[in-house]
Amino acid sequence: MKKADYKGLLESVRQGGSSLRGEVEPARTFKFRTPKRNGKLETRLAICLKTDDPSLLVVNKIYPVRPLEDDLVRVIDEAGEAAIYDADSFLFVSFSPKVERVLSHLAQP
């Protein structure tokens, strides 16, 4: 990493920490509304097609995802953290209900 890039990243982290501690107002906020089905968040299965960090998402792996607005999805990544990704990085798939239950169970971290 270039020294200038590192300094910029470090400054961003410091600003984010200040915002989280309530020392300064955030420069911007994000709000996501999620679709609901029968009062519950709709979870679907999707195959990861591309990633910019192979340690967090595995290409060709099936993940349970929750579609969000603006072509985004919520995914539990390989680090076990919930993260937001572009829906373009995934291919939604459907199987018989029995197969989907088994795959969803196996995909749980």
Side-chain angles (χ1 to χ4, degrees), residues 42-56:
E42 178 185 350
T43 300
R44 298 180 59 192
L45 296 176
I47 300 170
C48 177
L49 299 175
K50 59 184 175 183
T51 181
D52 57 352
D53 189 347
S55 66
L56 293 179

Side-chain angles (χ1 to χ4, degrees), residues 37-78:
R37 188 174 79 193
N38 298 331
K40 296 181 179 180
L41 292 173
E42 178 185 350
T43 300
R44 298 180 59 192
L45 296 176
I47 300 170
C48 177
L49 299 175
K50 59 184 175 183
T51 181
D52 57 352
D53 189 347
S55 66
L56 293 179
L57 289 177
V58 177
V59 174
N60 296 327
K61 181 175 177 178
I62 298 174
Y63 288 93
V65 301
R66 291 189 178 153
L68 305 172
E69 290 186 351
D70 300 323
D71 294 325
L72 299 171
V73 294
R74 180 181 182 270
V75 180
I76 304 297
D77 60 24
E78 296 299 312

